[in-house]
Amino acid sequence: MVAGKLGRMVAAIFIVSFLTFALAKALPGDPALIVLGTSSGTMIPCATNPGPSTANDSSVADCRGISPSKLHPRGAVGPPPLVQKCDAAQCVLARDQFLHQHHLDLPIMRQYAQWVGGALHGDFGTTYDAAPERVSHQIAQALPATIELMILAEVVALLFAIPLGVYSAYRENKLGDKVATGFSFLALAIPNFVLAIFLVLFFVVALGWLPLLYTPWSQDPVKNVKSIIIPVIALAAGTIAVFARLLRSDMIATLQEDFILMARAKGLPPMQVLFRHALRPSSFSLLTVAGINLGALIGGTVIIESMFVVNGLGYLLIAAIEARNFPVIQAVVLLITAVFVIINVLVDIIYSLLDPRIRHA
Amino acid sequence: MPDPLPVETDRVMVASAGVLSAPDPEVNAELAADGTVPLKKKRKKLGFGFWFSVIWIFLVVFGAAFAPWLPIDNPNVADPCAGVASTMVNTGATPDQAKLIFVGQATSAQQAQSLIDQGMTVPADVNGCKNPTLDSRVNAYPSATHILGTDTSGRDTFSRVIWGARVAITVGIGAIAVGMLLGGIMGLLAGFYRGKPETLLMTVADIMLAYPALILAIAFVAFAGQSLLNVGIAITIVSIPAFARIARASTLTYAEREFVMAARVMGAKNSRIIMREIFPNVILPVTAFALVAVAIAIVAEGALAFLGLSVPLPTSSWGTMIHDGYNVITDRPLVALTPAIIMFITVLAFNLLGDKFRTIFDVKDTAL
């Protein structure tokens, strides 16, 4: 059974990799020309032209001149910046060099095979920058911040949600439970970036307790901890609500069981009954959702990272989209999706190992 | 306490027969006769939250629908006095002095005043601005001229909020309606016919769910280009698998029920069973989820816009407004706070409606 699940997981990742690749290829236009026409950072130099050098002004053309419609991607605002003047022949040559350098001159299926083959070795090719960098290197630099944010958000969510859920179940339909329900509803409804705005206004602008921008751990651990409080709360709030509601409903069911009655009859203190006897059998679906949520958090970090300038995967993704740095976009999307799929399958497997009822079903 | 569940489900059966309205008192009386507890339709008041949500959503939809005809400022053009008013703030000049500074006749308030004293005429109309006041400057606080203040470029926040609602509502309701239709049909067919079609459709849904939703939407818009249509398509794609799963789960439960058997025995065709027996039951949980999904879609559009990936500038969107305001959040909190609050209330209102809908029609949470 585990083998079947792993097989499906591998299949899913391959399909996802193909779709991600196809999505990038389906884009109308020539990536080389798009890159040639965009911001200076992703400019490739004019090719040194072996042909007749025509330096006089009338023949000098900006590379955009080749195909203006293709060079101006839909949705871009304003005229593309005039970066460098090459003559037409140089432009064609530069384009060819660019395509060759990034293996874009190969047939599509070979490009895909090469890309996937590289990805399996952790090699995602090189960026489209003028001085190409390894994509895997950029990703490795971005990972720690994202992982820190995700893990902390998950831990904070569990730390708050477990007592809250247990309390709500214990005081079912009493005032405390109703207040908790109301707050859960609000926390679920509020978008994380809107909550982040409220938190920034309160803790940064009004009280001045916390810094606005993120500081990496390697730079200053104390500042790092202070700067990560708001992003973590903004990410965790909705999760706390989901976890607490889930634990509450499972716990209410568990509290009806005979062994709880037995424990109570023995005269055990409520805390011990709740946390020692009732919590464990109530926490299976919480565990599942906590696992799946870890994957979902990756998506949520994108916006939080760009708000607080956290140099993580999400920030890298958005920067790459702005610069139209396709290898980076493809790699980040594939990586995030693969992790998401793997986590889901792992949770599935762990769940069936934990709960005998599922294993034997 | 006797379990009210059977009564409850019987009522849903009534709904399936075409009476989709509030429970019929006669039905309750009948059920009481056979010994079960009659479903006393607790005349539970809908409450403040419900009516507030309905009114708020009505206002937002009204504003979104009629934005071009409402007597509001152009959302994409700065107040004509924004420049002069900002000069007034920066130099501490009076309106007349500021006009002179703005047109380049003077560089400071004193110099402008001495020019006026020397008899220089102050232009009555500077770029369409006649009587500049501080209410017109960029990042202005709410005032009679701009009831929600102005943004970082001196544009009217109130009118941008209304035009932003246009984007939010178009994407929210439009994308979710299409997603509900496509996903609903997928789930209904998969749950009814089972077998190969089910495997195929659900595999497609599972692959779509393999992408984290926001990442898929971001990737789609990044590759396909920014436009209202593409944002809508992205959100539709993300929403389809969720609708398919809900529709399938509840189709599965109803397809086995006695009234479906009865219809089949009476010789009803598959198409009739789907449309007349199953669809009216499946539509309830799907609609309950759709209301929440509209809220999620509005958030997703806002997130894309915040990342600069929604409708192209200068079209206003709540996410774009929040992003613009976020850049000046330490100096002028209101610029980001206003659209953030509007978005929050709208999202909350849709969530509340979805929740109420669930309670009223007693929709059980189906496996998501």
Side-chain angles (χ1 to χ4, degrees):
Chain A
M1 181 207 67
V2 172
K5 274 182 182 152
L6 289 177
R8 283 187 58 166
M9 176 184 91
V10 173
I13 292 177
F14 262 100
I15 295 174
V16 158
S17 76
F18 183 76
L19 286 180
T20 309
F21 182 82
L23 201 59
K25 290 295 156 202
L27 178 79
D30 184 331
L33 295 185
I34 288 171
V35 171
L36 277 160
T38 44
S39 66
S40 52
T42 56
M43 235 332 264
I44 57 174
C46 286
T48 39
N49 190 358
S53 178
T54 45
N56 68 63
D57 280 4
S58 61
S59 68
V60 168
D62 173 316
C63 283
R64 289 177 304 155
I66 295 178
S67 168
S69 65
K70 284 183 178 172
L71 279 173
H72 197 48
R74 280 172 298 155
V77 184
L82 205 83
V83 194
Q84 198 167 354
K85 295 248 180 195
C86 309
D87 63 50
Q90 280 177 326
C91 277
V92 172
L93 203 69
R95 176 177 170 274
D96 288 347
Q97 281 180 356
F98 179 88
L99 291 180
H100 185 71
Q101 184 186 1
H102 294 281
H103 308 298
L104 296 171
D105 49 354
L106 298 175
I108 286 243
M109 286 320 287
R110 271 196 66 194
Q111 283 183 41
Y112 172 68
Q114 203 161 34
W115 182 62
V116 167
L120 286 174
H121 295 100
D123 173 18
F124 293 99
T126 51
T127 65
Y128 282 179
D129 297 296
E133 229 188 303
R134 297 218 73 77
V135 175
S136 48
H137 178 67
Q138 290 196 343
I139 289 180
Q141 279 184 328
L143 269 179
T146 300
I147 292 177
E148 180 190 16
L149 208 56
M150 272 170 52
I151 303 276
L152 279 179
E154 186 85 358
V155 169
V156 166
L158 284 172
L159 279 183
F160 279 88
I162 291 176
L164 198 67
V166 170
Y167 175 80
S168 286
Y170 181 56
R171 309 283 295 167
E172 189 193 348
N173 288 334
K174 303 249 170 46
L175 183 67
D177 178 31
K178 284 191 173 150
V179 171
T181 307
F183 271 106
S184 299
F185 194 80
L186 283 182
L188 271 178
I190 192 166
N192 54 19
F193 60 99
V194 170
L195 177 61
I197 294 267
F198 293 161
L199 291 172
V200 164
L201 281 175
F202 193 69
F203 291 107
V204 180
V205 179
L207 298 175
W209 288 354
L210 299 172
L212 181 59
L213 300 181
Y214 174 80
T215 317
W217 176 269
S218 51
Q219 224 171 65
D220 186 340
V222 179
K223 268 193 186 163
N224 171 264
V225 171
K226 277 179 104 177
S227 68
I228 208 159
I229 293 176
I230 295 179
V232 165
I233 298 178
L235 273 176
T239 314
I240 294 177
V242 174
F243 288 0
R245 303 306 298 159
L246 200 69
L247 183 59
R248 174 186 177 273
S249 60
D250 284 0
M251 191 91 171
I252 286 173
T254 310
L255 289 179
Q256 317 271 332
E257 301 266 353
D258 291 341
F259 68 91
I260 297 296
L261 191 64
M262 169 78 176
R264 276 195 182 149
K266 280 198 298 189
L268 292 180
M271 288 302 268
Q272 199 175 346
V273 174
L274 288 174
F275 284 94
R276 296 289 294 278
H277 292 73
L279 182 58
R280 226 173 75 133
S282 315
S283 54
F284 287 126
S285 33
L286 178 65
L287 274 184
T288 322
V289 173
I292 294 170
N293 182 68
L294 201 57
L297 272 179
I298 310 176
T301 52
V302 173
I303 193 160
I304 294 295
E305 280 179 12
S306 63
M307 273 183 99
F308 295 94
V309 198
V310 181
N311 256 318
L313 272 190
Y315 192 72
L316 183 66
L317 177 65
I318 298 303
I321 288 175
E322 272 166 17
R324 310 228 143 224
N325 215 332
F326 294 118
V328 181
I329 308 179
Q330 283 179 358
V332 173
V333 170
L334 177 66
L335 188 74
I336 290 178
T337 313
V339 171
F340 188 64
V341 172
I342 291 172
I343 289 178
N344 280 350
V345 173
L346 283 185
V347 165
D348 216 19
I349 293 172
I350 293 173
Y351 185 61
S352 58
L353 292 180
L354 279 181
D355 192 345
R357 283 168 300 183
I358 304 264
R359 189 167 57 216
H360 299 304
Chain B
M1 197 191 112
D3 192 1
L5 199 69
V7 184
E8 203 51 56
T9 38
D10 280 352
R11 205 191 81 215
V12 181
M13 273 182 65
V14 173
S16 79
V19 193
L20 241 164
S21 54
D24 195 331
E26 275 179 45
V27 177
N28 282 339
E30 234 175 84
L31 291 167
D34 70 58
T36 47
V37 180
L39 176 74
K40 259 200 216 121
K41 179 71 187 169
K42 273 187 244 155
R43 272 255 155 254
K44 227 182 154 185
K45 279 195 188 150
L46 288 166
F48 171 76
F50 175 81
W51 289 113
F52 179 80
S53 306
V54 169
I55 292 172
W56 179 265
I57 289 173
F58 173 78
L59 287 177
V60 170
V61 172
F62 180 85
F66 296 103
W69 300 282
L70 291 178
I72 49 176
D73 295 359
N74 184 326
N76 301 329
V77 174
D79 187 299
C81 289
V84 181
S86 299
T87 311
M88 284 165 66
V89 179
N90 295 337
T91 59
T94 63
D96 281 350
Q97 294 166 355
K99 276 184 183 175
L100 283 183
I101 299 173
F102 190 74
V103 295
Q105 297 281 355
T107 49
S108 69
Q110 285 91 346
Q111 198 190 348
Q113 188 54 47
S114 61
L115 283 174
I116 294 171
D117 291 341
Q118 285 162 23
M120 177 178 265
T121 47
V122 178
D125 186 325
V126 179
N127 294 342
C129 171
K130 293 194 177 72
N131 300 308
T133 60
L134 287 185
D135 298 340
S136 302
R137 70 183 188 276
V138 294
N139 301 330
Y141 293 115
S143 64
T145 348
H146 299 288
I147 60 174
L148 289 179
T150 59
D151 75 351
T152 47
S153 312
R155 296 170 294 196
D156 182 54
T157 300
F158 181 66
S159 109
R160 281 183 74 73
V161 162
I162 290 180
W163 281 83
R166 211 171 156 81
V167 175
I169 294 296
T170 314
V171 170
I173 296 184
I176 292 306
V178 178
M180 182 175 161
L181 189 74
L182 296 180
I185 292 175
M186 266 172 76
L188 206 61
L189 294 181
F192 187 78
Y193 288 107
R194 312 296 309 266
K196 283 219 177 84
E198 182 184 32
T199 319
L200 184 73
L201 287 173
M202 285 302 125
T203 309
V204 173
D206 281 346
I207 289 170
M208 284 157 104
L209 280 175
Y211 282 94
L214 189 60
I215 297 291
L216 178 56
I218 288 175
F220 185 85
V221 177
F223 286 131
Q226 284 171 252
S227 69
L228 190 63
L229 184 67
N230 283 342
V231 173
I233 293 176
I235 291 173
T236 304
I237 293 176
V238 172
S239 74
I240 287 177
F243 279 112
R245 285 199 157 193
I246 291 174
R248 173 176 160 272
S250 76
T251 305
L252 283 179
T253 58
Y254 285 108
E256 304 295 319
R257 292 283 296 272
E258 299 83 349
F259 61 88
V260 175
M261 294 293 189
R264 203 185 292 274
V265 169
M266 282 192 284
K269 276 184 281 186
N270 277 343
S271 57
R272 189 193 157 86
I273 296 178
I274 291 179
M275 286 315 294
R276 300 296 293 271
E277 308 293 340
I278 294 181
F279 173 76
N281 286 307
V282 172
I283 193 71
L284 290 178
V286 170
T287 310
F289 177 71
L291 286 168
V292 180
V294 170
I296 299 174
I298 291 175
V299 173
E301 192 279 324
L304 284 175
F306 190 92
L307 296 171
L309 287 172
S310 185
V311 287
L313 299 176
T315 312
S316 84
S317 151
W318 291 343
T320 318
M321 296 177 69
I322 296 175
H323 183 262
D324 288 350
Y326 186 66
N327 292 331
V328 294
I329 195 161
T330 43
D331 302 327
R332 297 291 171 146
L334 266 188
V335 183
L337 192 60
T338 310
I341 289 177
I342 302 260
M343 184 166 172
F344 177 47
I345 298 177
T346 311
V347 169
L348 194 64
F350 275 106
N351 270 303
L352 272 171
L353 275 196
D355 195 53
K356 258 312 179 233
F357 188 91
R358 216 179 278 261
T359 329
I360 292 171
F361 293 101
D362 192 50
V363 177
K364 301 272 179 308
D365 280 320
T366 34
L368 250 172

